[in-house]
Amino acid sequence: MDDGATIPDVTVTIDAKAVPLASLGAPLVVYFYPKDDTTGCTTEAKDFSTLADAFAAAGVGVVGISKDTPASHAKFTAKHGLTVSLASDVDGVACEAFGVWVEKAMYGRKYMGIERATFLFGADGTLARAWRKVRVAGHAEAVLAAAKAL
């Protein structure tokens, strides 16, 4: 996904409801993460939740997307007191549209998985900034700074 691209015409599941991603409005932060309740993903979701009020004050929505089920998201949200919306992309349509379903390797084993990535769309719905292969520490703060600069 290149700068200037628009929010893909895909539908995700939020709170057990099918929601077109573009209907969430803009500006919008869409972050992809591999799996609910794993160390890095929990830290990232908590960081975005901590800054949720600051994103809202800047008029920017935030949604996290993984291939986990709505039930998994509900459990993850309740366990960690998350305040950001989490969307399910069980069939991988959003992952494919954003190009984050990639070959990964761990301990010499190759497999397909979600690349941790974040996309910031401006008020006109076009991609303003993308972060690929995200490192969690300080990431939510960097995204907030970029969102405020829109």
Side-chain angles (χ1 to χ4, degrees):
M1 180 165 282
D2 299 317
D3 284 359
T6 57
I7 297 173
D9 182 21
V10 295
T11 299
V12 293
T13 305
I14 300 175
D15 297 328
K17 294 180 196 78
V19 178
L21 197 57
S23 74
L24 298 178
L28 179 67
V29 170
V30 178
Y31 77 92
F32 286 86
Y33 65 99
K35 186 140 184 67
D36 286 346
D37 219 9
T38 55
T39 306
C41 299
T42 299
T43 300
E44 185 174 29
K46 285 174 143 183
D47 289 351
F48 275 111
S49 289
T50 298
L51 297 174
D53 288 344
F55 277 102
V60 180
V62 178
V63 63
I65 301 177
S66 77
K67 291 184 84 168
D68 293 299
T69 64
S72 176
H73 283 342
K75 185 177 173 186
F76 183 42
T77 296
K79 180 177 179 180
H80 297 287
L82 304 177
T83 57
V84 293
S85 292
L86 297 180
S88 295
D89 181 37
V90 176
D91 57 8
V93 172
C95 291
E96 290 289 342
F98 280 84
V100 298
W101 188 246
V102 298
E103 184 175 79
K104 300 169 100 175
M106 183 182 288
Y107 307 119
R109 182 178 70 87
K110 292 186 188 287
Y111 63 98
M112 295 301 288
I114 295 176
E115 172 187 61
R116 189 181 308 278
T118 302
F119 302 87
L120 172 62
F121 294 91
D124 61 357
T126 61
L127 184 64
R129 175 107 190 255
W131 292 262
R132 305 303 293 240
K133 297 182 181 168
V134 166
R135 298 278 179 242
V136 173
H139 177 63
E141 292 84 356
V143 175
L144 178 60
K148 285 180 172 179
L150 285 177

